[in-house]
């Protein structure tokens, strides 16, 4: 049983294969967190609670537990204004202007499987691999009903949490904040890991020891952002890739968020995560509900690598959906870096023909095919084919590309509108804006108001028309700016602050519609590179464009950081031209292929301009991709190198779940003289077994490969790469 309720001790205990999560209900119905960590057998654990009584300067609560202070108690779902001064998950404003609230236990329900979250992406149960606990609570003062939902995915050591509230009172209420999870840890000696960055440098790793006070990452941009990802981890100070305790928290959401660790005066750590309360409120009429997004949580005592593998498993098996979840994705060529806006159908056909010869399987027509868009200054919203460029129309082009033997994919940026567009002339009120205020543009564009159904319906009908007009099998859904001057002329004042979240719900609804109408469509999300690389997006698209920086060496850091939370098989990763367009670096074609290999794989260059040598190299790369992709998609991922720690090398490995095969990838970043031997230790192999290396024919024991290591042959020059493939003998 993965979920147990011990009636005597009033303890709920949630077990995965290797972890336990537990909390207690007091006689007065307060939910107190007991434990999250390595698996424990017993439920008689309320002795873990050590709540001081009357502490100086801290209000004491006098209830059946005697005098004690909620400011010191580990709260399962902390509320605002009731003597707990730390970061709350729940706050509201009632008709008297009061903002205190409580969450008092009433009842529970345990069910097999996992219910959907209304309007939101979330993990789902497959073949009975999840169980769900709902904890029904109330605030007796105002009639709010609070339902805490926990789902246990035993096999991959994941517990998900979310919360919904319903106004069962007699007056409307304003929800001021509803964070999705709170985990109380008994210690403060952890490091926090976050993924920070900017455009073209997303998800770099930052690790620092917790200190007293609040340390958080957030976004108030309406999207997850380049600046901070909505995943955070906590690990022991001594934790490495392979050893030590690590907790991961991935928010399944794509809008403004906060993820925080707060260390209080008693050296305890509270972790919370959810929708950013900044500029948020939600008006709840009587009977109305609000659903907060889900947080995917995992605990591992097999290091940061163990934490990542758990998250990869849940995302690959129980978050990504549809036909493409378990399938190798077509190798694509995208014309963005090849042509930017300067292309027509003749040029695309030329690329398609050459791509076909090299073995590429799909042509993706990027930005610039619609309206009069010849630069990024116009036409977003005018989703009509520009027949000056696409001569004879889209169907003609797609048919020709199909005849050549390639699938066809297309780029859209449905969430945006250019002031220089027919749509804006007709509907200047369709963008997010505050009446009378300046409308700030970014990349010369404004954000279409996806909180409005009429606006969404129109945009959707345009996208659908285009997709129905030809055999289009892939969509790259882009989003190239963030939200400012958030308001509209439709919602009443008490609902204006809802726009942030309504917008995100609108995006989700649009993508759901798309997948319902075109169930075979392969969707790739993108946001100016990787600004919306989050678990929420993965529910709709099995792949996300990782970064606009396609330089193989920059990608080492970006992909290393991204892999902390997300499975490599969803990384949009392409071989692009050299010198690279973002950094001007010159790298070997082979290395660019090896760095893109763990991702969805494709090309982002003008194949018609390549040397014959590079064209032949594409064929070899495609062979490699075909050979190793099943291992990449299904295997366990191990980080071996750390590009943030050294500029000598990076290395990583995929091991099949049955441990019969392994792929080691190695990139020499800067060549150093007199380093005669670069030996890297493999991980995750089966002890007692032997493995043959395909590249040198030698047979090694797992012990030698893991304890002594594998010698990388001498590589001459910077930015060189090498792969080694091992099979169990
Ligand atoms: C964004 C994307 C790129 C490309 C351009 C087109 O920057 O990340 O891949 O599609 O938009 O304008």
């Amino acid at each position: 049983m993965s979920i147990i309720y011990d009636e005597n001790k009033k303890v709920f205990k949630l077990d995965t294969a290797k972890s336990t999560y537990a909390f207690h209900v007091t006689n007065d119905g307060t939910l107190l967190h007991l434990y999250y960590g390595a698996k424990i057998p017993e439920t008689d654990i309320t002795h873990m609670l050590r709540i001081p009584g009357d502490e100086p300067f801290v209000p004491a609560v006098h209830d059946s537990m005697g005098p004690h202070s909620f400011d010191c108690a580990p709260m399962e779902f902390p509320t605002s204004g009731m003597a707990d001064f730390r970061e709350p998950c729940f706050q509201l404003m009632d008709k008297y202007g009061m903002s205190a609230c409580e969450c008092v236990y009433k009842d529970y329900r345990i069910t097999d499987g996992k219910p959907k979250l209304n309007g939101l992406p979330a993990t789902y149960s497959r073949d009975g691999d999840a169980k769900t606990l709902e904890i029904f609570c109330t605030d007796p003062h105002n009639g709010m009903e609070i339902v805490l939902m926990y789902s246990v995915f035993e096999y991959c050591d994941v517990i998900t949490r979310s919360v919904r509230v319903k106004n069962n009172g007699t007056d409307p209420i304003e929800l001021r904040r509803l964070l999705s999870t709170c985990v109380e840890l008994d210690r403060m000696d952890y490091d926090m890991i976050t993924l920070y960055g900017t455009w073209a440098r997303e998800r770099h790793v930052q690790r620092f020891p917790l200190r007293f006070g609040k340390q958080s990452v957030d976004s108030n941009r309406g999207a997850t952002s380049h600046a901070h990802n909505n995943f955070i981890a906590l690990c022991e100070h001594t934790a490495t890739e392979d050893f030590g305790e690590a907790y991961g928290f991935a928010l399944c959401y794509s809008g403004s968020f906060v993820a925080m660790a707060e260390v209080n005066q008693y050296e305890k750590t509270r972790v919370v995560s959810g929708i950013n309360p900044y500029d948020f409120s939600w008006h709840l009429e009587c009977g109305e509900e609000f659903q907060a997004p889900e947080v995917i949580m995992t605990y591992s005592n097999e290091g940061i690598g163990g934490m990542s593998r758990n998250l990869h498993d849940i995302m690959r098996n129980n978050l990504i959906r549809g036909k493409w979840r378990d399938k190798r994705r077509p190798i694509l060529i995208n014309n963005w870096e090849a042509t930017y806006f300067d292309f027509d159908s003749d040029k695309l056909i030329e690329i398609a023909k050459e791509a076909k010869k090299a073995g590429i399987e799909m042509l993706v027509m990027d930005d610039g095919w619609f309206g009069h868009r010849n630069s990024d200054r116009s036409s977003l919203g005018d989703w009509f084919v520009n027949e000056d460029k696409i001569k004879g129309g889209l169907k003609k082009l797609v048919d020709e590309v199909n005849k050549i033997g390639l699938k066809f994919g297309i780029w859209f940026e449905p969430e945006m509108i250019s002031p220089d567009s027919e749509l804006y002339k007709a509907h200047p009120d369709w963008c997010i804006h505050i009446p009378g205020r300046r409308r700030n543009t970014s990349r010369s564009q404004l954000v279409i108001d996806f909180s409005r159904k009429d606006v969404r319906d129109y945009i959707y009908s345009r996208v659908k028309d285009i997709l129905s007009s030809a055999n289009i099998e892939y969509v790259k859904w882009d989003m190239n700016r963030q939200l400012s001057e958030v308001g509209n002329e439709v919602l009443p004042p008490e609902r204006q602050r809802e726009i942030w979240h309504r917008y995100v719900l609108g995006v989700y609804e649009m993508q759901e519609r798309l997948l319902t109408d075109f169930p075979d469509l392969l969707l790739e999300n993108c946001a100016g590179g990787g600004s919306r690389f989050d678990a929420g997006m993965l529910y709709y698209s099995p792949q996300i464009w990782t970064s606009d920086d396609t330089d193989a060496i920059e990608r080492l850091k970006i992909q290393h950081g991204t892999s902390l939370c997300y499975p490599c098989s969803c990384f949009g990763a392409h071989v692009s031209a050299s010198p690279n367009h973002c950094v001007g670096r010159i790298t070997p074609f082979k290395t660019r292929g090896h760095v893109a290999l763990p991702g969805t794989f494709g090309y982002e260059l003008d194949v018609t301009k390549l040397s014959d040598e590079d064209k032949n190299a594409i064929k070899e790369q495609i062979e490699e991709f075909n050979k190793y992709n099943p291992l990449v998609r299904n295997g366990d991922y191990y980080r071996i190198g750390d590009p943030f720690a050294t500029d000598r090398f990076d290395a990583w490995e995929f091991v099949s779940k049955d441990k019969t095969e392994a792929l080691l990838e190695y990139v020499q970043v800067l060549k150093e003289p007199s380093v005669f031997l670069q030996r890297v230790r493999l991980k995750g192999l089966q002890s007692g077994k032997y493995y043959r290396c395909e590249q040198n024919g030698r047979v090694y024991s797992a012990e030698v490969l893991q304890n002594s290591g594998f010698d990388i042959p001498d590589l001459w020059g910077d930015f060189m790469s090498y792969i080694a493939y091992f099979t169990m003998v």
Side-chain angles (χ1 to χ4, degrees):
M1 276 291 277
S2 58
I3 303 176
I4 303 170
Y5 180 51
D6 180 332
E7 298 252 11
N8 282 332
K9 299 290 166 197
K10 293 193 160 189
V11 168
F12 286 96
K13 181 166 173 280
L14 286 60
D15 285 321
T16 69
K18 296 181 191 158
S19 73
T20 294
Y21 183 103
F23 56 95
H24 170 58
V25 189
T26 69
N27 290 334
D28 307 286
T30 302
L31 297 171
L32 296 177
H33 183 81
L34 288 170
Y35 177 78
Y36 189 26
K39 195 164 183 168
I40 54 171
E42 72 266 50
T43 49
D44 182 6
I45 52 174
T46 47
H47 59 83
M48 289 177 176
L49 290 169
R50 279 167 295 149
I51 307 171
D54 277 313
E55 287 298 299
F57 275 92
V58 187
V61 178
H62 293 259
D63 59 19
S64 62
M65 295 165 72
H68 61 90
S69 161
F70 276 161
D71 196 38
C72 319
M75 305 298 286
E76 186 61 20
F77 195 67
T79 61
S80 142
M82 297 292 293
D84 172 3
F85 297 102
R86 293 162 292 173
E87 190 72 12
C89 283
F90 183 30
Q91 185 181 27
L92 45 76
M93 177 84 88
D94 66 18
K95 73 167 182 185
Y96 305 104
M98 303 301 163
S99 63
C101 51
E102 278 181 278
C103 175
V104 180
Y105 175 81
K106 278 199 322 199
D107 202 359
Y108 76 98
R109 176 167 65 193
I110 297 173
T111 46
D112 287 334
K114 182 170 188 284
K116 284 189 168 184
L117 300 192
N118 197 7
L120 284 169
T123 54
Y124 57 91
S125 169
R126 272 172 84 183
D127 311 322
D129 61 0
K131 263 195 183 321
T132 296
L133 167 67
E134 282 160 292
I135 299 286
F136 301 100
C137 304
T138 187
D139 183 338
H141 194 76
N142 52 29
M144 285 297 279
E145 187 179 286
I146 305 125
V147 184
L148 308 179
M149 187 162 102
Y150 303 76
S151 294
V152 180
F153 292 85
E154 223 176 325
Y155 84 95
C156 57
D157 293 313
V158 162
I159 294 172
T160 61
R161 266 189 82 167
S162 64
V163 52
R164 65 175 189 276
V165 294
K166 187 173 181 187
N167 181 2
N168 272 346
T170 47
D171 298 301
I173 270 194
E174 198 182 303
L175 188 61
R176 282 289 179 89
R177 67 159 68 204
L178 190 68
L179 302 187
S180 301
T181 195
C182 171
V183 173
E184 302 267 38
L185 300 170
D186 218 16
R187 303 154 36 183
M188 70 171 286
D189 51 344
Y190 294 105
D191 284 352
M192 183 164 170
I193 300 174
T194 76
L195 304 176
Y196 72 97
T198 180
W199 175 79
R201 187 161 43 75
E202 295 91 339
R203 290 171 303 285
H204 277 213
V205 179
Q206 157 173 251
R207 176 173 173 168
F208 53 89
L210 290 185
R211 50 171 174 70
F212 288 100
K214 295 177 181 179
Q215 33 253 286
S216 64
V217 286
D218 71 353
S219 158
N220 54 13
R221 299 160 190 261
T224 300
S225 90
H226 300 96
H228 297 289
N229 195 259
N230 59 17
F231 156 81
I232 59 167
L234 255 57
C235 63
E236 290 179 296
H237 295 316
T238 51
T240 64
E241 274 298 320
D242 310 305
F243 301 103
E245 291 190 298
Y247 298 86
F249 304 87
L251 181 64
C252 201
Y253 189 60
S254 312
S256 297
F257 73 93
V258 64
M260 177 188 292
E262 177 180 8
V263 179
N264 74 352
Q265 65 273 40
Y266 305 108
E267 302 181 11
K268 312 274 185 245
T269 306
R270 168 175 291 181
V271 181
V272 295
S273 163
I275 293 179
N276 198 340
Y278 168 83
D279 207 24
F280 166 89
S281 79
W282 197 276
H283 183 80
L284 287 173
E285 285 293 331
C286 299
E288 283 184 347
E289 277 193 2
F290 183 87
Q291 173 69 59
E294 169 167 296
V295 176
I296 301 169
M297 316 193 297
T298 190
Y299 163 85
S300 172
N301 55 15
E302 291 162 34
I304 297 160
M307 172 201 76
S308 297
R309 285 185 289 281
N310 293 346
L311 291 168
H312 295 178
D313 279 347
I314 188 96
M315 290 186 192
R316 291 188 296 194
N317 298 323
N318 304 87
L319 179 63
I320 292 173
R321 298 176 294 167
K323 147 175 168 180
W324 293 101
R325 181 188 61 205
D326 306 315
K327 279 185 79 164
R328 170 191 167 288
R329 320 282 159 68
I331 298 164
L332 65 83
I333 185 158
N334 177 305
N335 74 306
W336 177 241
E337 286 192 29
T339 64
Y340 295 102
F341 293 100
D342 185 16
F343 66 90
D344 59 12
S345 39
D346 294 340
K347 179 67 198 171
L348 295 176
I349 294 290
E350 217 183 294
I351 292 177
K353 283 185 178 152
E354 210 50 57
K356 175 66 188 169
K357 285 190 218 154
I360 292 168
E361 298 159 340
M362 178 160 74
L363 173 76
V364 175
M365 176 170 71
D366 211 280
D367 193 357
W369 55 266
F370 52 92
H372 60 278
R373 188 152 166 104
N374 293 311
S375 76
D376 60 15
R377 287 188 293 278
S378 82
S379 303
L380 293 169
D382 294 345
W383 301 110
F384 297 93
V385 175
N386 177 349
E387 295 208 11
D388 292 339
K389 284 167 126 176
I390 311 302
K391 296 165 199 149
L394 190 55
K395 179 155 172 40
K396 182 161 179 273
L397 169 65
V398 178
D399 285 348
E400 262 180 76
V401 170
N402 285 168
K403 218 180 294 154
I404 292 167
L406 263 61
K407 296 174 188 294
F408 188 88
I410 199 168
W411 178 97
F412 277 103
E413 198 176 355
E415 298 163 65
M416 297 293 153
I417 185 164
S418 308
D420 176 6
S421 66
E422 296 307 314
L423 188 66
Y424 193 74
K425 269 187 225 146
H427 300 284
D429 61 325
W430 275 16
C431 64
I432 286 186
H433 68 284
I434 298 173
R437 276 207 188 276
R438 185 181 67 236
R439 301 178 181 190
N440 288 311
T441 56
S442 166
R443 210 191 190 209
S444 309
Q445 63 199 55
L446 297 163
V447 181
I448 279 250
D449 191 350
F450 265 28
S451 73
R452 284 177 57 171
K453 180 154 182 344
D454 56 338
V455 175
R456 289 202 304 274
D457 284 349
Y458 170 77
I459 297 291
Y460 187 74
S461 73
R462 289 309 316 133
V463 173
K464 187 172 176 183
D465 270 11
I466 296 282
L467 293 185
S468 309
S469 73
N471 182 26
I472 299 172
E473 298 180 70
Y474 160 107
V475 163
K476 176 174 170 188
W477 178 302
D478 208 343
M479 194 259 189
N480 280 308
R481 67 156 288 175
Q482 287 154 350
L483 280 56
S484 61
E485 302 89 46
V486 172
N488 68 21
E489 290 167 45
V490 182
L491 288 170
E494 70 275 15
R495 291 203 182 272
Q496 282 292 321
R497 296 339 309 133
E498 297 177 10
I499 293 177
W500 293 100
H501 181 60
R502 284 177 180 267
Y503 175 85
V504 180
L505 293 179
V507 173
Y508 291 152
E509 188 233 35
M510 289 283 275
Q511 297 204 354
E512 190 66 47
R513 267 205 250 184
L514 199 59
L515 297 174
T516 308
D517 286 343
F518 303 93
D520 292 335
L521 186 76
L522 174 57
L523 185 62
E524 176 157 347
N525 269 293
C526 170
S531 169
R532 231 171 22 188
F533 205 116
D534 56 62
M537 288 280 106
L538 281 182
Y539 184 69
Y540 302 94
S541 68
Q543 55 196 62
I544 304 177
W545 184 228
T546 316
S547 174
D548 278 344
D549 197 332
T550 52
D551 173 68
I553 302 305
E554 291 300 310
R555 276 292 181 117
L556 295 177
K557 287 182 177 159
I558 295 169
Q559 295 181 183
H560 179 102
T562 308
S563 80
L564 252 53
C565 180
Y566 307 97
C568 300
S569 51
C570 73
F571 296 3
H574 298 165
V575 174
S576 63
S578 178
N580 179 268
H581 293 193
C582 264
V583 289
R585 185 177 286 121
I586 295 172
T587 52
F589 202 78
K590 183 173 164 189
T591 305
R592 284 176 262 153
H594 282 160
V595 174
L597 186 65
T600 56
F601 201 72
Y603 292 83
E604 182 108 7
L605 41 69
D606 190 345
V607 66
T608 65
K609 293 188 182 145
L610 288 184
S611 66
D612 287 343
E613 195 190 337
D614 285 352
K615 283 182 195 160
N616 285 329
I618 295 186
K619 292 186 185 136
E620 285 165 32
Q621 288 174 341
I622 288 178
E623 259 175 50
E624 273 180 352
F625 174 75
N626 286 335
K627 179 168 174 186
Y628 300 127
N629 185 253
L631 181 53
V632 165
R633 277 190 291 110
N634 305 310
D636 283 330
Y637 178 69
Y638 292 86
R639 288 175 292 268
I640 295 177
D642 179 355
F644 296 96
T646 173
D647 54 15
R648 183 187 286 175
F649 82 102
D650 191 11
W652 58 92
E653 184 195 5
F654 293 93
V655 182
S656 61
K657 289 275 180 194
D658 65 4
K659 299 190 181 291
T660 55
E661 43 171 347
L663 174 71
L664 169 70
E665 292 203 63
Y666 180 92
V667 176
Q668 171 164 285
V669 180
L670 295 182
K671 172 72 176 167
E672 283 179 293
S674 303
V675 177
F676 298 116
L677 203 63
Q678 188 64 42
R679 182 174 286 177
V680 292
R681 292 197 204 180
L682 273 72
K683 301 178 183 184
L685 303 178
Q686 175 88 57
S687 307
K689 297 289 183 187
Y690 285 80
Y691 291 83
R692 174 175 287 110
C693 171
E694 187 179 270
Q695 281 63 26
N696 66 14
R698 185 184 289 277
V699 174
Y700 305 80
S701 67
E703 286 73 12
V704 162
L705 288 173
Q706 299 192 133
N707 297 303
S708 172
F710 175 80
D711 289 328
I712 303 293
D714 192 30
L715 301 170
W716 183 245
D718 296 341
F719 317 135
M720 306 299 282
S721 66
Y722 181 80
I723 61 174
Y725 177 59
F726 300 86
T727 43
M728 196 188 268
V729 292

